[in-house]
Amino acid sequence: MTAQEQLQQWIKDSGNVVFFGGAGVSTESGIPDFRSVDGLYSQKYDQPPESILSHTYFVGHTGDFYRFYRDKMLCLDAKPNAAHQKLAQLERAGRLKAVVTQNIDGLHQMAGSQVVYELHGSVHRNYCTKCRAFYGADFIQTGEGVPLCPVCGGLVKPDVVLYEEGLDQDTVEGAVRAIARADVLIVGGTSLVVYPAAGLIDYYQGRKLVLINRDPTPYDGRADLVIHDSIGKVLGGIEV
């Protein structure tokens, strides 16, 4: 039995699959990841991306933060790929119970997924730090300079988790519950080096841990099934 056939069988036999994904899930939609050869961390800026995307930089260099954010983080023309679509189909079929994602692009919801735990937030939610009014991604994209709330004049901040900021506790707890209860845990498109997100896999108690990633990860030795291939190709080939 091939790895693809094994994955198909496990999904077919399960009614409690959980998917945990990272940037690699969205690269096939044209959204750059961070750590690959062509990722954002390999490109040259006056400051490295991890510095620009930090809370300290946001506070101290707000205008420069938004120039980078609009240029590199808002990919609003991207569309869901085969992986996003298949996960939504599996949820509708009653096999997939939740998606846990490190991505902030909202493509899982665009594909139709309902239960999505966004560990690092979403570009589609932006809030006034003063009056808490919420705005969509278009408000940030079409604006210039530092976005200010038209209601009260306060600073509007993306609802994304910057470096030095903590994850939303309710989101983490929901993700932990889903992973802990899963029969099959499929991990895809993530290097599994970013914590605390990567540590969520430790809550999985089952014996069907599947890792799908183009490159090896630190968790390969712990997995019950490892597939080094395109996440879209692998999930796209699953029959619902």
Side-chain angles (χ1 to χ4, degrees):
M1 182 180 292
T2 67
Q4 181 78 23
E5 291 170 340
Q6 180 68 81
L7 176 60
Q8 176 73 65
Q9 189 65 48
W10 283 353
I11 292 175
K12 179 181 178 182
D13 293 343
S14 176
N16 190 356
V17 179
V18 170
F19 179 79
F20 175 56
V25 179
S26 293
T27 53
E28 292 172 43
S29 292
I31 297 179
D33 68 355
F34 279 75
R35 289 175 172 77
S36 69
V37 173
D38 299 318
L40 287 178
Y41 282 5
S42 300
Q43 300 178 25
K44 302 300 181 183
Y45 298 95
D46 291 339
Q47 295 286 331
E50 61 265 39
S51 296
I52 299 175
L53 296 174
S54 69
H55 179 79
T56 297
Y57 194 90
F58 175 79
V59 172
H61 306 273
T62 310
D64 291 334
F65 169 89
Y66 276 104
R67 275 193 288 274
F68 177 87
Y69 184 82
R70 289 189 178 98
D71 185 34
K72 296 299 181 183
M73 305 305 292
L74 288 179
C75 304
L76 303 186
D77 293 332
K79 302 297 182 185
N81 59 52
H84 299 105
Q85 301 287 4
K86 188 64 64 174
L87 291 167
Q89 292 174 22
L90 289 169
E91 183 186 54
R92 289 194 293 270
R95 302 197 183 284
L96 184 81
K97 296 305 181 187
V99 168
V100 180
T101 180
Q102 299 175 75
N103 297 335
I104 60 176
D105 50 52
L107 291 181
H108 286 293
Q109 290 93 331
M110 193 181 300
S113 291
Q114 300 294 314
V115 183
V116 182
Y117 295 103
E118 297 174 303
L119 297 175
H120 296 154
S122 172
V123 299
H124 297 283
R125 298 188 302 269
N126 305 273
Y127 64 92
C128 173
T129 56
K130 186 176 179 180
C131 75
R132 312 304 288 185
F134 264 74
Y135 300 94
D138 288 341
F139 178 81
I140 302 295
Q141 185 183 51
T142 58
E144 295 181 0
V146 176
L148 300 177
C149 176
V151 176
C152 73
L155 172 65
V156 176
K157 181 182 183 296
D159 189 15
V160 299
V161 180
L162 302 177
Y163 289 98
E164 304 168 347
E165 295 179 343
L167 303 185
D168 177 76
Q169 198 57 38
D170 289 340
T171 302
V172 171
E173 290 175 1
V176 166
R177 281 195 301 269
I179 290 172
R181 295 170 181 170
D183 174 35
V184 178
L185 177 62
I186 302 173
V187 181
T190 172
S191 57
L192 292 174
V193 296
V194 176
Y195 285 83
L200 295 182
I201 296 179
D202 295 335
Y203 291 96
Y204 178 59
Q205 302 171 24
R207 296 184 177 180
K208 295 176 181 176
L209 173 60
V210 182
L211 294 188
I212 307 170
N213 200 53
R214 290 184 182 275
D215 302 313
T217 78
Y219 281 76
D220 281 11
R222 295 173 49 179
D224 302 290
L225 184 64
V226 178
I227 303 177
H228 289 152
D229 207 340
S230 154
I231 185 74
K233 176 183 175 183
V234 175
L235 290 185
I238 295 296
E239 297 179 5
V240 178

